[in-house]
Amino acid sequence: MIYLDNSATTKPYKEVLDSFHQVSTTYFGNPSSIHQLGTEAEQLLSAAKRQAAQLLQVKEEEIVFTSGGTEGNNTAIKGIAYEHVNRGKHIITSRIEHPSVLETCKALEGQGYDVTYLPVDEVGRVSVSDLEKAIRSDTILVTIMHVNNEIGTIQPIEEIAEVCSRYPKLYFHVDHVQGLGKVPLSLEKIDLCTMSGHKIHGLKGTGVLYIRKNISLFPLLHGGEQEFGYRSGTENLPGAVSFVKALRMTLEKQSQDKGKLADIRQALSEKLRDMEGVILHDSEHHAPHILNFSLPGFKPEVVIHAIEKEGFIISTKSACSSKNKDESAVLAACGLPKDRTTSALRVSLSYSNTMEEIHSFSLAFQSVKQQLSKVMG
């Protein structure tokens, strides 16, 4: 089976699993305990935090270990909203964010907050000019994803950060879950940034929220004041260590295999473009590991299952919304016609995929398309 659904989740590295097992069996003490086992666990947790900070080029006290992307996004958005409500109740985001951002914003709207959902162009990019026009005197947060999880569009984060830096009363949060290890991102002018372990060959239930030093957040969890008070609860030490292991290995691959993902994606793009009836959702602002395309007239779930029988795993859209068989909300927000928004497919790569796999997939996809066209096309 050839796995091409890496934006949904990735296969954990063996080294990650080994580190999780070793820490779970050897350093099982509670990091908050004062005896030797607790002290050893606390020292390992500090080391993991220090290494994560070095890899991300930030300060150790700016790293908060979380359970992943959804918790990171909720903590950042609600944390700013609740803590700084006296400054204002206006939040800016885009129409194509991950559900963990959109649903959080909707929940805040139910509590009296005002949210501006920025439109995107036909390739899924927000306008920096639109964003600046939307900023008001009561705006407290701008939250924009780095790489879109369905179509792979890269947002102009550096330009947005520059705009936000001119407004000292608002904070800028970036959902970096899909970009981590694939698309470089400087955290220099970003206040909060969400990352997830299982998207980089780490384990589900692990992640990091970067919180710029001296930013005050209302914590979603109260209790033992772990993680600088941002996230109470006994720390997931094996998860934290395994996250750092996955982060280190992924960043090394990003450096060593520079260009590999882009080359494979380009090859796939060229093969699909030559197939009759396939429409690519492509642009110059795409990430190197995600390719989204439509097959009008074909039900995507039928194509998914047919190609799976040939030994390939791909997806329709993001895993967090794939059980909704209606049209892609992301492609609809891009203003694309319904025959494209209801027939989208996504191929997402990892550094372990090869050019040979993509060649095999292309042949299998062409064959499946021809077979299905007799009954669906």
Side-chain angles (χ1 to χ4, degrees):
M1 189 69 72
I2 295 176
Y3 186 71
L4 300 171
D5 192 19
N6 291 281
S7 286
T9 194
T10 52
K11 182 180 179 180
Y13 291 129
K14 179 182 181 300
E15 293 88 342
V16 168
L17 294 170
D18 290 344
S19 70
F20 184 89
H21 181 263
Q22 181 181 359
V23 175
S24 297
T25 53
T26 306
Y27 296 90
F28 58 86
N30 188 324
S32 296
S33 298
I34 60 173
H35 50 62
Q36 183 177 348
L37 286 177
T39 300
E40 291 173 352
E42 194 279 332
Q43 290 174 342
L44 183 58
L45 181 67
S46 296
K49 189 158 293 192
R50 188 164 55 252
Q51 291 169 10
Q54 290 171 349
L55 291 168
L56 296 171
Q57 299 180 23
V58 298
K59 298 180 178 64
E60 186 176 334
E61 58 269 33
E62 295 175 328
I63 296 292
V64 172
F65 289 115
T66 67
S67 66
T70 294
E71 183 189 326
N73 286 338
N74 271 262
T75 301
I77 297 169
K78 292 177 183 173
I80 290 294
Y82 295 156
E83 183 71 13
H84 302 283
V85 63
N86 291 333
R87 289 186 181 183
K89 302 181 77 171
H90 181 230
I91 296 168
I92 298 173
T93 187
S94 83
R95 293 180 183 171
I96 64 167
E97 298 298 310
H98 186 272
S100 61
V101 170
L102 292 177
E103 294 303 318
T104 301
C105 288
K106 288 179 182 175
L108 289 172
E109 284 184 291
Q111 299 171 36
Y113 289 82
D114 188 16
V115 180
T116 295
Y117 298 90
L118 296 173
V120 295
D121 62 16
E122 64 179 5
V123 299
R125 292 257 290 183
V126 299
S127 159
V128 178
S129 174
D130 285 349
L131 182 140
E132 187 157 19
K133 290 175 185 173
I135 295 175
R136 312 184 320 209
S137 60
D138 63 339
T139 305
I140 54 174
L141 176 68
V142 172
T143 173
I144 300 290
M145 68 191 343
H146 184 205
V147 174
N148 183 265
N149 49 312
E150 282 193 38
I151 56 178
T153 300
I154 303 171
Q155 299 294 354
I157 295 299
E158 288 187 10
E159 297 172 53
I160 294 172
E162 183 62 37
V163 169
C164 292
S165 68
R166 301 178 203 147
Y167 299 85
K169 288 187 176 180
L170 71 80
Y171 297 96
F172 181 36
H173 165 246
V174 175
D175 176 354
H176 188 36
V177 167
Q178 287 294 338
L180 183 61
K182 315 292 195 315
V183 184
L185 177 70
S186 170
L187 299 177
E188 185 177 354
K189 292 187 178 181
I190 294 172
D191 297 309
L192 307 108
C193 186
T194 300
M195 305 167 213
S196 175
H198 76 103
K199 307 291 189 181
I200 56 168
H201 304 277
L203 301 177
K204 298 173 182 65
T206 66
V208 155
L209 177 63
Y210 160 75
I211 306 174
R212 182 181 296 283
K213 188 178 180 181
N214 295 327
I215 285 182
S216 180
L217 282 187
F218 187 89
L220 302 188
L221 303 175
H222 294 85
E225 295 294 307
Q226 288 93 344
E227 294 295 295
F228 314 116
Y230 291 122
R231 185 184 192 266
S232 289
T234 302
E235 298 91 341
N236 176 8
L237 180 59
V241 172
S242 69
F243 174 88
V244 176
K245 173 70 79 173
L247 179 63
R248 181 185 301 282
M249 293 182 67
T250 297
L251 293 179
E252 287 175 356
K253 287 185 178 297
Q254 183 181 16
S255 175
Q256 295 167 359
D257 297 341
K258 193 174 183 179
K260 177 182 178 180
L261 293 177
D263 289 344
I264 294 176
R265 185 189 183 282
Q266 179 64 25
L268 176 59
S269 173
E270 292 173 359
K271 291 179 184 300
L272 291 174
R273 188 174 284 113
D274 291 338
M275 294 184 192
E276 183 179 356
V278 175
I279 303 175
L280 300 183
H281 303 133
D282 217 351
S283 78
E284 61 180 315
H285 303 293
H286 65 74
H289 61 297
I290 299 175
L291 182 59
N292 189 293
F293 55 97
S294 286
L295 202 56
F298 292 76
K299 293 182 178 179
E301 60 270 25
V302 174
V303 178
I304 295 289
H305 293 311
I307 198 71
E308 183 174 358
K309 289 181 180 177
E310 300 297 320
F312 301 89
I313 300 291
I314 64 173
S315 64
T316 53
K317 44 190 176 180
S318 78
C320 290
S321 57
S322 62
K323 291 183 179 178
N324 181 350
K325 295 182 179 179
D326 294 329
E327 67 180 350
S328 162
V330 172
L331 293 177
C334 295
L336 301 181
K338 201 153 188 171
D339 65 337
R340 291 168 65 177
T341 63
T342 57
S343 63
L345 299 163
R346 180 184 71 180
V347 171
S348 49
L349 307 167
S350 78
Y351 292 104
S352 62
N353 289 125
T354 66
M355 199 68 85
E356 290 73 23
E357 289 177 343
I358 288 303
H359 178 67
S360 298
F361 168 76
S362 302
L363 294 175
F365 185 77
Q366 176 76 305
S367 174
V368 164
K369 189 171 80 68
Q370 290 174 347
Q371 294 170 28
L372 293 178
S373 65
K374 298 175 182 176
V375 292
M376 296 176 62

